[in-house]
Amino acid sequence: GGVRLRYSRAEQRHAMSQFDRPAAPSNPKPLHADTPSVRNDALAPAAQPPAPASSPASGLGSPDLFESVLEHAPMGFAVYSAITGEPLYVNRRFADICGVEHGALRNRRDVFAVIFAEAEERAQTEARVTADIAAAPDKPHRWHDLQLTLRSGERRWLTSDRIPLESHQLILSAVQDVTDRHTAAEALRDQAERLQEQNTDLARFNRAAVDRELRMVELKREVDDLLAMLGMPARYGTRP
């Protein structure tokens, strides 16, 4: 005969309890990390950190963004072709500072004729700028306190930069309106000159007052000397 296996009552109850459980589904649902089970937590894949929000700098390669930045810049920018002189980009601030309509600058060679209404200013500035560029055409240049009289008669002072971009065969031109700073500096110089004049007047008055006082002392001494010669008492007490 065969071998008869003997089980304890506890083992039998455990075995029968397995038949009372519902069968496991053929396609069990995936385990999740939030299931309150230690086994499920261990089997579930580790939670991934949230993807970082897109940085504002992620769109810096966009031409539209660069153009928006330049249009809102506090100074004027213009980009010209180093070969033809044609303006490839001019922001509105450049035209506003120079007192011309946007789109009026059509060629770098005509910039002096378009911007400078006063013939003398135009000739002086063009000669200065042209000479500097001819001396070092491949180097950046900066010109301070360029005087500009607009066609409206308003006077402005500008700082202008010229930066060659050789690898791109471009010229970057930038202008800043420094009229307020120049006007403030002129006001300080005028005030300093007025104070110097007042100080000169005070010094002159002081010298005159001192000289007058010294002369009065001499006159009193002379009076006392004359009274002494006449055998009379001194009037001002300038002598012992």
Side-chain angles (χ1 to χ4, degrees), residues 84-186:
T84 64
E86 177 186 2
L88 305 179
Y89 173 78
V90 180
N91 70 347
R92 293 189 178 275
R93 184 61 179 154
F94 192 100
D96 292 342
I97 291 175
C98 295
V100 298
E101 294 183 0
H102 192 258
L105 302 175
R106 301 185 181 276
N107 194 289
R108 181 167 50 91
R109 299 179 181 88
D110 302 330
V111 66
F112 295 102
V114 174
I115 294 178
F116 289 87
E118 292 284 339
E120 185 176 355
E121 286 180 358
R122 178 170 62 249
Q124 291 178 353
T125 304
E126 185 172 5
R128 173 185 173 187
V129 171
T130 303
D132 290 345
I133 295 176
D138 299 329
K139 293 184 178 180
H141 293 276
R142 167 167 285 192
W143 297 277
H144 294 280
D145 293 335
L146 296 177
Q147 186 173 339
L148 171 64
T149 302
L150 306 183
R151 300 187 184 279
S152 62
E154 178 186 351
R155 297 182 64 186
R156 291 181 180 175
W157 281 264
L158 311 180
T159 293
S160 178
D161 291 88
R162 178 187 182 272
I163 305 174
L165 306 176
E166 296 182 8
S167 59
H168 301 283
Q169 294 184 328
L170 299 174
I171 301 294
L172 173 62
S173 179
V175 292
Q176 292 177 276
D177 186 353
V178 295
T179 304
D180 291 343
R181 186 179 64 191
H182 194 278
T183 302
E186 279 192 341

Side-chain angles (χ1 to χ4, degrees), residues 193-210:
E193 290 178 359
R194 289 195 300 270
L195 291 175
Q196 182 62 38
E197 291 177 357
Q198 293 176 1
N199 184 63
T200 301
D201 292 341
L202 289 173
R204 187 182 301 113
F205 175 80
N206 183 64
R207 286 195 300 270
V210 171

